[in-house]
Amino acid sequence: MIRPALPLLAVFLAPLLALATPARAVVGGTEAPDGAPARSSVMVLSSRGGVCTGIVLARDVVLTAAHCAAPGAEHRVHFRDEAGAPVLLGVAARAVHPGYDAGAIAGRRRSIDLALLRTEAALPARFVPASLTEAPAAAGTPLTLGGYGVARPGDHRSTGTFRTATLPVVEPYGPSRILVWLKGATASGACEGDSGGPVVGAGGGVLAVTTWASGTGKAACGGVSQGVLVGPQRAWIDRTTAAWGAPARWE
């Protein structure tokens, strides 16, 4: 466990240090800090002030979105210890999926928005490595997404507590072999800070990683939530985690 010096801590935790009210995440979701997805999730912070979620695959390996960990900034894995004190772990190695395209959304191009981080020190034993799944999810299938992001769009004071929302799969562009989309009947879903978080199937396995969300009405979030399916990227995930001596678990 690494406890950084105060100046470094302030740089990475600046978006979180302003918390004055109970923190929440996932707009329209439910607080679930003790649920199974939360026990397999951490936060990924950027020296530029970015906040994301990450999925624990091993005591020293975290899966997240590539845009949360791409080169050009320093990153740390963040969690709170048993006493509630913030802890930051440095990143010893990172692997960004070779199919990631930072300009994909603006250019309407395909992108595999995934990255793996290897921490400099092991996470505490209370973190349970998540299992991944290649299970298909047809339109209408309910999936649960989770994350540490904002509960209210634009309000960074509402980050920091793990929340979940269960939403059905939709196919706005037809079925995809790369992406999955979720949309509920009411404004609910991923928002700022939830990128990199788990999208979980009925069996508890992580089926996708949250990467993008749209708004509804005048709100910035609460529309469609999008994730990258992990099953089609199994070869890259297995190759990378095996090279780090921590093979990913699959259902």
Side-chain angles (χ1 to χ4, degrees), residues 13-67:
L13 297 187
L16 306 177
L17 294 177
L19 290 176
T21 58
R24 299 179 178 180
V26 177
V27 295
T30 302
E31 291 188 10
D34 300 316
R39 294 195 297 272
S40 301
S41 298
V42 291
M43 297 181 76
V44 177
L45 306 181
S46 162
S47 58
R48 294 178 176 173
V51 176
C52 284
T53 302
I55 304 160
V56 177
L57 298 189
R59 293 279 300 282
D60 61 349
V61 177
V62 172
L63 174 65
T64 190
H67 72 263

Side-chain angles (χ1 to χ4, degrees), residues 134-224:
E134 297 178 275
T141 303
L143 301 177
T144 300
L145 65 83
Y148 285 102
V150 300
R152 296 176 294 279
D155 181 6
H156 293 285
R157 298 162 67 91
S158 66
T159 60
T161 292
F162 196 85
R163 285 171 68 89
T164 62
T166 299
L167 306 168
V169 174
V170 295
E171 295 178 351
Y173 315 109
S176 172
R177 290 178 294 178
I178 298 174
L179 304 173
V180 64
W181 299 277
L182 310 176
K183 188 178 189 303
T186 59
S188 181
C191 200
E192 301 168 71
D194 295 319
S195 288
V199 178
V200 180
V206 175
L207 182 138
V209 176
T210 300
T211 55
W212 176 84
S214 68
T216 179
K218 295 183 179 180
C221 306
V224 175

Side-chain angles (χ1 to χ4, degrees), residues 75-93:
H75 297 87
R76 297 289 186 272
V77 168
H78 165 62
F79 61 94
R80 292 187 179 274
D81 65 17
E82 297 293 345
V87 179
L88 297 177
L89 297 183
V91 173

Side-chain angles (χ1 to χ4, degrees), residues 91-137:
V91 173
R94 86 182 75 202
V96 175
H97 194 286
Y100 172 59
D101 179 353
I105 293 177
R108 298 180 179 273
R109 298 186 297 268
R110 188 180 95 164
S111 177
I112 310 299
D113 194 351
L114 295 178
L116 287 160
L117 302 176
R118 188 176 189 185
T119 57
E120 293 177 343
L123 290 160
R126 63 185 171 89
F127 285 97
V128 179
S131 293
L132 307 179
T133 179
E134 297 178 275

